[in-house]
C-alpha cells in the first residue's frame, strides 16, 4: 500500500519552522510561526498558568476520562468570557476542541454534514491551514478579497464578491488580528460585514484565535459578540493557544451560537458524534488550566494583566517595525503595520524573495510574506528592517 503514496507538500508555516530550527547561524531571526516571544526570545509560561498548574498537580485526584465534549464548565466559561450574558443550552452549545484548528475542523465537518452543498468562503489571504482543513473534508473553497498592505478595508467590495455565494454557504471571518495581514475592520465595518452575510443567507464562521491580542480582552470579545448579535446562527472557533500561551496543550472550543428550539441541541449532538468519531475525547490539561484561571478572580486578574503586557509589547513592536522600515525605505507607506493588530503583518515580497531572505540573510518569514511581529527584538529592529527591505 505505502508504495502508492505521493509525498505531500508540507504546510508552509511548519516548513519554515523546521528550516529555522535546522539553521546553525547565530544571527538568524525567526519571524515565522505565530508564537509570541518576549524580548529575551522566550515564549514564557504565563504566571497564572503556572499557578493553576501547581494547583492541579496538588489537587487533581484522577485522570479518568472527562467526556466526548470535554469539560462543559470550561466550554461555558470560555463562551461567556467572549459572549457575556448568553446561556449554555439556550444561546450556545459546544465542545472542548483540540486547539482552535481542531475547533475549525469540527465545525466545518458539522456544517458540511448539515449542508453538503455548502461552499466555504475564505478571505484571500488567510491562514493556510484553513484551506488544508477544508480540503481534507472535501469542502468546496472560494475566496473573497482582504487587504494586504493597507489598513483601508472596503466592506462593500467584500460583500460584492460574496454576491456569488449561495444561501447556506459558510464565510470564514477572522474575529480580529487577521492572520496573516493584521488588518481588521473597525466595529462598524465588522457589523456591516455581518449584516451583509445575514442579508445573503450566509453563515458566519468566526475564527477567534487571538482574542486579547488586539485592543483588549473585552474589546476583542465585543467584536465576536457584535456578529452574534446580528446573525441568527454562527459557528465560532475559539483558541486558547496564544492568549493563555498554552500552545502545545491544544486547547480550544468549537461553539454553535444559535437558539434552543431552533436545532441547537440536535446540531450539538452531531458535533459530539463527529468529535467521538474523530478522536473520542479531547485532552484535558489545557482546558483544566483555563477553567482554573477563569473561575478564580485573582488568577483571572493576573492572567489579564499579563495578557495586557503581551499585547502592549506586540503593539510596541508593530510601531517600532513600521518606524524602522520607514527609516530603511522612505518611498513605501509602512503605516499599515502600525495600524494593524495582533502578531502578523505582511511584507510585499515574492516567494523567491522570501527564500532569499531566509537563505541569504537568515530572516525567516512565511513565503506569503507574513512576518510574526510578536517575535521581534526591538533592540535589533533597524538591523532586521534593513535585512527585510533588502529583499524587496
Ligand atoms: C500560525 O499561524 O503560525 C499559528 O497559528 C501556528 C499554526 O498552527 O500555523
Amino acid at each position: 500500500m505505502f508504495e502508492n503514496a505521493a509525498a505531500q507538500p508540507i504546510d508552509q508555516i511548519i516548513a519554515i519552522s523546521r528550516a529555522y530550527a535546522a539553521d546553525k547561524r547565530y544571527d538568524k531571526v525567526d519571524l515565522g510561526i505565530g508564537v509570541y516571544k518576549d524580548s529575551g526570545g522566550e515564549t514564557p509560561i504565563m504566571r497564572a498558568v503556572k499557578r493553576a498548574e501547581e494547583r492541579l498537580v496538588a489537587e487533581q485526584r484522577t485522570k479518568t476520562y472527562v467526556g466526548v465534549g470535554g469539560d462543559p464548565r470550561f466550554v461555558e466559561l470560555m463562551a461567556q468570557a467572549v459572549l457575556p450574558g448568553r446561556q449554555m443550552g439556550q444561546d450556545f452549545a459546544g465542545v472542548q476542541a483540540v486547539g482552535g484548528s481542531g475547533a475549525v475542523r469540527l465545525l466545518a465537518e458539522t456544517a458540511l454534514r448539515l449542508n453538503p452543498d455548502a461552499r466555504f468562503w475564505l478571505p484571500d489571504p488567510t491562514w493556510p491551514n484553513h484551506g488544508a482543513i477544508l480540503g481534507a473534508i472535501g469542502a468546496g473553497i472560494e475566496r473573497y478579497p482582504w487587504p494586504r498592505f493597507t489598513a483601508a478595508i472596503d466592506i462593500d467590495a467584500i460583500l460584492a464578491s460574496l454576491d456569488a455565494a449561495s444561501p447556506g454557504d459558510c464565510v470564514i471571518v477572522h474575529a480580529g488580528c487577521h492572520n496573516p495581514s493584521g488588518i481588521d475592520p473597525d466595529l462598524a465595518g465588522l457589523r456591516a460585514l455581518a449584516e451583509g452575510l445575514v442579508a445573503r443567507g450566509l453563515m458566519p464562521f468566526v475564527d477567534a484565535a487571538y482574542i486579547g491580542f488586539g485592543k483588549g480582552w473585552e474589546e476583542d470579545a465585543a467584536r465576536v459578540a457584535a456578529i452574534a448579535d446580528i446573525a441568527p446562527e454562527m459557528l465560532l472557533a475559539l483558541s486558547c493557544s496564544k492568549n493563555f500561551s498554552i500552545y502545545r496543550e491544544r486547547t480550544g472550543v468549537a461553539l454553535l451560537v444559535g437558539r434552543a428550539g431552533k436545532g441547537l441541541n440536535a446540531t450539538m449532538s452531531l458535533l459530539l458524534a463527529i468529535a467521538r468519531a474523530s478522536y473520542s475525547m479531547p485532552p484535558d490539561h489545557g482546558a483544566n488550566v483555563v477553567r482554573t484561571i477563569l473561575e478564580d478572580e485573582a488568577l483571572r486578574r493576573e492572567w489579564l494583566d499579563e495578557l495586557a503586557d503581551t499585547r502592549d509589547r506586540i503593539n510596541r513592536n508593530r510601531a517600532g517595525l513600521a518606524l524602522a522600515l520607514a527609516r530603511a525605505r522612505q518611498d513605501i507607506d509602512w503605516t499599515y503595520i502600525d495600524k494593524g493588530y495582533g502578531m502578523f503583518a505582511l511584507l510585499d515580497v515574492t516567494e523567491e524573495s522570501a527564500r532569499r531572505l531566509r537563505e541569504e540573510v537568515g530572516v525567516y518569514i512565511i513565503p506569503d510574506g507574513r512576518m510574526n511581529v510578536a517575535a521581534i527584538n526591538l533592540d535589533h529592529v533597524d538591523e532586521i528592517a534593513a535585512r527585510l527591505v533588502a529583499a524587496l
Side-chain angles (χ1 to χ4, degrees):
M1 180 197 283
F2 295 168
E3 68 271 14
N4 297 330
Q8 299 294 303
I10 306 172
D11 172 279
Q12 45 178 312
I13 296 174
I14 303 299
I16 292 303
S17 265
R18 285 190 194 166
Y20 177 79
D23 188 337
K24 298 277 182 288
R25 284 171 288 185
Y26 75 95
D27 61 344
K28 63 183 179 178
V29 177
D30 181 13
L31 306 184
I33 194 159
V35 167
Y36 171 79
K37 290 188 186 168
D38 64 17
S39 51
E42 300 294 329
T43 304
I45 300 175
M46 292 173 107
R47 290 183 299 275
V49 167
K50 210 58 182 162
R51 280 196 226 287
E53 288 185 314
E54 283 159 10
R55 216 177 270 182
L56 288 180
V57 168
E59 293 173 8
Q60 198 171 47
R61 292 283 164 266
T62 180
K63 292 281 186 192
T64 189
Y65 294 122
V66 177
V68 174
D71 176 5
R73 180 68 181 138
F74 157 75
V75 171
E76 182 177 38
L77 283 163
M78 272 302 291
Q80 290 179 338
V82 178
L83 300 171
R86 287 170 200 257
Q87 298 309 314
M88 187 144 89
Q90 288 302 311
D91 310 306
F92 65 84
V95 301
Q96 186 181 315
V98 184
S101 321
V104 171
R105 169 81 185 232
L106 289 178
L107 292 169
E109 282 198 57
T110 302
L112 202 58
R113 288 274 286 277
L114 293 173
N115 178 7
D117 296 329
R119 290 177 296 163
F120 291 74
W121 293 75
L122 308 182
D124 180 14
T126 194
W127 181 51
N129 211 25
H130 279 148
I133 290 171
L134 292 164
I137 61 169
I141 298 172
E142 305 283 350
R143 309 272 170 180
Y144 66 90
W146 201 260
R148 288 167 197 259
F149 314 110
T150 165
I153 303 190
D154 186 345
I155 298 292
D156 289 340
I158 290 171
L159 289 173
S161 80
L162 289 169
D163 281 339
S166 307
D169 283 358
C170 296
V171 180
I172 298 261
V173 176
H174 295 233
C177 305
H178 183 273
N179 179 2
S181 72
I183 306 299
D184 296 335
D186 62 13
L187 205 49
L190 195 65
R191 286 202 182 101
L193 179 61
E195 278 158 8
L197 299 188
V198 172
R200 288 162 179 78
L202 305 174
M203 170 71 98
F205 187 156
V206 178
D207 190 353
Y210 298 92
I211 294 182
F213 272 39
K215 290 188 172 171
W217 182 273
E218 281 179 17
E219 291 90 332
D220 296 355
R223 298 173 63 82
V224 181
I227 303 173
D229 286 343
I230 291 165
E233 293 181 342
M234 173 171 106
L235 304 168
L236 174 59
L238 297 174
S239 171
C240 302
S241 297
K242 329 266 164 158
N243 38 33
F244 287 85
S245 195
I246 51 170
Y247 304 83
R248 65 174 63 170
E249 302 299 350
R250 310 310 303 133
T251 308
V253 182
L255 219 56
L256 310 164
V257 184
R259 295 294 310 157
K262 298 237 173 181
L264 187 64
N265 296 342
T267 307
M268 174 65 180
S269 71
L270 176 58
L271 187 59
L272 282 167
I274 292 169
R276 174 70 169 156
S278 303
Y279 49 79
S280 185
M281 304 187 212
D284 171 64
H285 184 72
N288 213 335
V289 165
V290 171
R291 172 186 172 153
T292 304
I293 292 171
L294 293 181
E295 275 186 328
D296 182 297
E297 203 32 55
L299 284 182
R300 193 181 179 120
R301 242 180 294 117
E302 187 168 20
W303 160 65
L304 283 172
D305 283 351
E306 201 166 351
L307 183 59
D309 291 345
T310 302
R311 181 174 57 250
D312 290 348
R313 195 182 113 74
I314 293 174
N315 286 334
R316 281 197 302 278
N317 280 7
R318 296 195 80 93
L321 180 64
L323 284 174
L325 286 166
R327 284 192 288 274
R329 213 27 224 266
Q330 287 91 11
D331 59 323
I332 295 175
D333 181 1
W334 298 104
T335 51
Y336 71 92
I337 295 182
D338 195 11
K339 288 181 180 159
Y341 295 97
M343 301 173 100
F344 306 120
L346 285 166
L347 189 68
D348 192 1
V349 286
T350 60
E351 272 194 37
E352 171 55 19
S353 307
R355 186 193 62 73
R356 279 195 287 108
L357 198 50
R358 181 166 80 236
E359 292 179 3
E360 292 171 15
V361 294
V363 178
Y364 285 73
I365 66 171
I366 307 300
D368 65 3
R370 191 190 82 175
M371 304 176 284
N372 176 16
V373 181
I376 285 177
N377 180 338
L378 280 183
D379 291 345
H380 302 293
V381 72
D382 280 308
E383 184 196 323
I384 294 170
R387 290 201 229 173
L388 289 170
V389 297
L392 294 175

